[in-house]
Amino acid sequence: MKKKALNGLPTHVAIIMDGNGRWASRRALPRFLGHRQGVKALKKVVRYASKRGISALTVYAFSTENWTRPKEEVDFLLDLMQKTFVAEIEELHREGVRIQLAGDRASLNEEILKIWHGAEEITAQNQGLTLNVAFNYGGRQEILHVVQTLAKQVAQGEIALDAISEQTIANLLYTQPTPDPDLIIRTGGEMRLSNFLLWQAAYSEFYVTDVLWPDFDEDDFERALQDYAGRERRFGQVLAKEQ
Ligand code: FPP
């Protein structure tokens, strides 16, 4: 009988940072204070991921559906992200973090794009943690974008229909060149993907905690990493103990 092959630490962790609103409501505070506290949690998690030698972290910061939230909340979130970048970029750069926007750039305005481009350019050569920020991100929209891009390439004779493969699709995803996430963490207790990394999540391990995002700290993150480390991944195959 083969030995059970456990995972070790994940290379790429993706996080659905849910529960900011509930964190605030439970304290009779306005929702925006939950988002502000959420940024503090994100800072801790980014530093801890670097410390643990994780290669890539993808965080769900703003979905394509989030634009339908009340205007004040959307404006607050956009402003919060902008201010966070301004305040944190130097330190993140010093720590070797490489920032990448994972989302639909085509529908973003110039002002927002400028901020993202700035953060990407400054940190482009860094060799530490890759931080993919899923902003204006939707999994179905991402797949649609890939399909449209490939259809256009076929129509223009740039690529043969038969040459389309899983790899050509993967190459066009917003998270490129980061490989698929090994582990997806969701805070706030809901058991769903919410249109996050639909293609990339095919064989990801899923970890849900009731902890609300603003309360998520290094110990919670370590618990998720250890839970992952103790699992056996199968990728659809029969492994070790059944043989
Ligand atoms: C979900 O909580 C959280 C969000 C929609 C926003 C998450 C964004 C941040 C933590 C800030 C990111 C900042 C940068 C710089 C990337 P919710 O409001 O849906 O909570 P609820 O489910 O309790 O209502």
Side-chain angles (χ1 to χ4, degrees):
M1 194 166 79
K2 280 188 204 158
K3 210 164 160 264
K4 193 173 162 185
L6 297 180
N7 289 324
L9 285 185
T11 301
H12 176 194
V13 179
I15 308 184
I16 302 173
M17 308 182 288
D18 198 18
N20 294 348
R22 275 167 286 166
W23 183 91
S25 306
R26 282 178 197 176
R27 289 163 177 76
L29 297 169
R31 288 176 61 83
F32 76 87
L33 284 180
H35 295 314
R36 189 175 285 162
Q37 202 66 24
V39 169
K40 292 188 186 162
L42 181 56
K43 283 192 223 166
K44 282 187 205 165
V45 163
V46 167
R47 298 221 152 101
Y48 195 69
S50 288
K51 187 174 152 191
R52 296 296 271 125
I54 287 164
S55 304
L57 190 65
T58 300
V59 293
Y60 206 3
F62 196 89
S63 73
T64 42
E65 291 74 33
N66 285 153
W67 295 105
T68 61
R69 290 192 176 202
K71 187 176 180 312
E72 312 82 75
E73 184 167 345
V74 170
D75 288 347
F76 182 84
L77 274 169
L78 296 182
D79 187 57
L80 180 67
M81 279 184 229
Q82 179 172 353
K83 286 189 174 136
T84 304
F85 276 129
V86 172
E88 299 295 323
I89 191 75
E90 271 185 34
E91 197 173 332
L92 288 168
H93 185 38
R94 251 199 325 275
E95 289 168 6
V97 175
R98 194 159 63 89
I99 295 172
Q100 190 180 296
L101 163 63
D104 175 25
R105 293 168 194 246
S107 64
L108 290 177
N109 69 36
E110 280 303 313
E111 194 191 347
I112 296 179
L113 273 178
K114 224 172 106 187
I115 295 161
W116 287 102
H117 285 156
E120 286 181 333
E121 269 173 33
I122 293 168
T123 63
Q125 303 307 323
N126 287 347
Q127 300 294 315
L129 177 80
T130 295
L131 176 62
N132 294 315
V133 185
F135 173 79
N136 200 25
Y137 177 87
R140 286 188 174 181
Q141 189 280 331
E142 177 182 45
I143 291 169
L144 176 64
H145 153 81
V146 171
V147 170
Q148 287 176 336
T149 305
L150 287 172
K152 210 156 134 196
Q153 289 176 355
V154 170
Q156 291 172 349
E158 291 166 16
I159 175 178
L161 192 57
D162 293 349
I164 295 176
S165 64
E166 289 194 13
Q167 196 53 53
T168 51
I169 293 171
N171 289 344
L172 291 167
L173 296 170
Y174 294 139
T175 46
Q176 268 305 302
T178 311
D180 292 344
D182 304 294
L183 170 67
I184 298 179
I185 298 172
R186 180 165 188 146
T187 61
E190 309 284 359
M191 303 277 187
R192 54 176 171 262
L193 266 180
S194 298
N195 206 14
F196 188 47
L197 306 181
L198 295 185
W199 177 277
Q200 298 89 328
Y203 290 106
S204 303
E205 295 291 324
F206 206 47
Y207 179 90
V208 176
T209 169
D210 287 332
V211 174
L212 303 176
W213 177 250
D215 289 329
F216 192 81
D217 63 13
E218 292 88 346
D219 289 344
D220 296 309
F221 196 10
E222 185 59 38
R223 259 190 287 280
L225 296 177
Q226 290 308 321
D227 189 275
Y228 171 87
R231 295 188 198 179
E232 184 183 21
R233 296 180 81 186
R234 292 157 196 261
F235 300 96
Q237 299 162 1
V238 175
L239 293 180
K241 60 182 181 290
E242 289 110 15
Q243 287 177 10

